[in-house]
Amino acid sequence: MNLALLPVVLAGLSVPFLGTLGTPQQGAVANAAVSLVVFLLTLLAFWGPGAGLLHADELGLVFGAVTGFAGFTTAVANIFYVRGAAVRLGVRRWRLYHVMCQIILGATLAGLYADNIGLLWAAMEAATIAATLAVSLPRTASALEAAWKYFILGGIGIALALFGTMLVYLAAQPALGPGLAAMSFAQLANAAPRMDGSLLTLAFVFLLFGYGTKAALAPLHGWLPDAYAEGPAPLTTSLSGLTLNVALLAILRFSHLLGANHASHGGAMAPGPFLILLGLVSIFLTGFSLSRRRDSRRFFGFSSIEHSGVAAFAFGIGGPVAIFGGLLHLLLHTLIKSALFQALIRAAALRGSTAPGHYAFSHLRGLAHTNKITALALGGCIFALTGLPPSGLFASEFIIVSQTIQREPLASLPLGLGLLICAVAILRNLGPLILAPAPHHAKPVKTARSTYLVLVHLALAFLLAFAMPPVLYGLLSAVAAGLS
């Protein structure tokens, strides 16, 4: 039985319901309920991944479960967000907002579960359109500008990815002939040595720049900071961030095809140098951009560019251990970054507004004087992003750096320097944000129950890094070995 279909179908079927449901608060509660069931169904999919166009391999199952969990906790935080911000959007726009939440969640899961290069592309296209509409919801000049930028850059990226997808299909013809077999990742992986290497190389260039745009790899990152800063906070920061994983995993799958063809002397180029270069550019761009950011959502949007670069760099280094480190890095970053934006939303609510434009570091400073639990949660998330111990990201970055020293020693120095610059830039904001004197209008506030979900995220990230369950370790190891 194909249980992987269920979470995607449920997210799709909930759209008409959420689009017509009563008040914004009722829509938020219903959205959280649907997201909970979707999360449970992503866990159920482990017992019936199924077969066909939409079924989950080990990679899709693991990231599908993390996506479902992040979608559920974001939906819970969304209830409190809607209560504090409902006056700023009309009822129709709030309904559209809840619809976009489930479309993005369902499209993300479809992209993770797809065993078809065309279906993967369609899922990313749906997520792009939904996220564009979501960014524009505030209807301010800056929000519309951000949505337009997202639409243009995202549209160009998706167009490039479509052309690359067609070239992969053509490259597979000598080995698999016409039909669905030439679009299946499983079939393509087996036939990669017999594919047309020249066409496959050209296809990978288009796919790297196409899906690299969706993964926010520099210099294709321009849409992300604006989109994160201007749209409704839970949707554009937590949920749309999940699509970065889909794009990066798509790049990993296609780079495996290119690498297998190159290793068998089929004529394709090695994918490693492409990925290493884009990864390093992304890390250094982030390091030198963070010091100039004053808006926290824009600041941590740039941080996502860094961590996309770290994962791409790990995939470029290659080998089962480095790819394992890159996959672990994506999992941990998803948990930490989703928690961080939930904590930011709560911190902004403590200062009176969760609307875009109210997330400046100067507006949020001195959080410990307002609520110590929220300060602890937000401070823990920010510190975790630095990759310093005992952050979970320290484990994944240690694996990646050690493998770089072994396999590509010349790349280890710029990698370490870039990570250090980013960590210092993040730490500079941590002390004032948490411990500085609070603004005169700030008053102590009771802890919201949704804040404790942030601590659950942090605990899970720590456990996955330093006490990973054997089942998960086996799954990630098998995936990394198969894609190396």
Side-chain angles (χ1 to χ4, degrees), residues 398-464:
F398 179 83
I399 293 172
I400 295 168
V401 171
S402 62
Q403 283 297 296
T404 304
I405 293 172
Q406 293 181 33
R407 299 175 67 91
E408 297 287 345
L410 292 179
S412 60
L413 181 60
L415 173 63
L417 181 60
L419 293 176
L420 180 61
I421 293 172
C422 292
V424 171
I426 293 173
L427 286 174
R428 286 181 58 198
N429 287 285
L430 180 58
L433 184 64
I434 305 302
L435 300 174
H440 66 277
H441 64 275
K443 298 179 181 179
V445 181
K446 183 187 297 186
T447 304
R449 284 172 290 181
S450 62
T451 306
Y452 295 103
L453 284 174
V454 174
L455 301 178
V456 173
H457 273 252
L458 287 177
L460 280 175
F462 181 84
L463 290 174
L464 288 183

Side-chain angles (χ1 to χ4, degrees), residues 342-360:
Q342 292 174 35
L344 273 180
I345 293 167
R346 182 56 190 160
L350 295 179
R351 297 295 162 81
S353 176
T354 57
H358 290 76
Y359 290 85

Side-chain angles (χ1 to χ4, degrees), residues 260-359:
N261 187 275
H262 173 76
S264 65
H265 306 289
M269 293 180 63
F274 294 102
L275 296 172
I276 290 174
L277 178 61
L278 286 185
L280 287 176
V281 170
S282 300
I283 294 169
F284 275 96
L285 172 90
T286 300
F288 291 114
S289 298
L290 288 179
S291 61
R292 303 171 61 87
R293 307 303 142 197
R294 300 294 177 261
D295 181 271
S296 61
R297 288 172 64 191
R298 195 178 298 273
F299 181 93
F300 292 114
F302 271 97
S303 172
S304 294
I305 297 170
E306 175 208 354
H307 292 286
S308 287
V310 172
F313 181 93
F315 299 154
I317 293 298
V321 180
I323 292 176
F324 178 93
L327 295 175
L328 177 61
H329 195 85
L330 286 182
L331 287 175
L332 299 176
H333 176 253
T334 299
L335 291 171
I336 294 170
K337 187 58 68 65
S338 177
L340 184 144
F341 281 119
Q342 292 174 35
L344 273 180
I345 293 167
R346 182 56 190 160
L350 295 179
R351 297 295 162 81
S353 176
T354 57
H358 290 76
Y359 290 85

Side-chain angles (χ1 to χ4, degrees), residues 103-130:
I103 290 179
I104 291 176
L105 183 59
T108 301
L109 290 172
L112 291 171
Y113 291 163
D115 183 37
N116 181 282
I117 57 177
L119 183 58
L120 167 65
W121 178 87
M124 291 300 293
E125 172 74 353
T128 298
I129 294 173

Side-chain angles (χ1 to χ4, degrees), residues 23-231:
T23 66
Q25 290 81 3
Q26 291 172 337
V29 172
N31 185 38
V34 172
S35 296
L36 173 60
V37 179
V38 168
F39 168 51
L40 295 176
L41 290 175
T42 61
L43 298 179
L44 186 63
F46 279 85
W47 283 268
L53 297 181
L54 190 68
H55 78 275
D57 59 6
E58 290 86 353
L59 186 61
L61 287 171
V62 172
F63 278 87
V66 172
T67 297
F69 176 73
F72 165 61
T73 58
T74 299
V76 173
N78 188 49
I79 297 174
F80 299 91
Y81 173 80
V82 170
R83 287 177 183 172
V87 295
R88 293 181 176 83
L89 295 178
V91 173
R92 289 184 178 179
R93 273 189 278 165
W94 276 118
R95 291 174 179 173
L96 179 61
Y97 168 79
H98 297 310
V99 166
M100 293 303 105
C101 286
Q102 289 305 318
I103 290 179
I104 291 176
L105 183 59
T108 301
L109 290 172
L112 291 171
Y113 291 163
D115 183 37
N116 181 282
I117 57 177
L119 183 58
L120 167 65
W121 178 87
M124 291 300 293
E125 172 74 353
T128 298
I129 294 173
T132 300
L133 291 173
V135 172
S136 70
L137 282 176
R139 298 295 192 269
T140 62
S142 55
L144 292 174
E145 179 184 352
W148 182 247
K149 183 183 292 187
Y150 188 20
F151 178 73
I152 294 297
L153 293 178
I156 292 173
I158 286 296
L160 292 174
L162 176 60
F163 191 63
T165 300
M166 292 188 291
L167 288 176
V168 169
Y169 179 76
L170 292 176
Q173 297 304 298
L176 296 172
L180 290 178
M183 301 181 73
S184 165
F185 278 114
Q187 298 288 340
L188 289 170
N190 293 329
R194 295 176 283 120
M195 294 170 65
D196 186 321
S198 299
L199 267 180
L200 195 57
T201 299
L202 182 61
F204 184 73
V205 172
F206 280 98
L207 290 165
L208 182 58
F209 281 92
Y211 286 121
T213 302
K214 293 301 301 175
L217 293 173
L220 314 164
H221 65 284
W223 61 270
L224 188 143
D226 289 342
Y228 273 34
E230 299 300 336

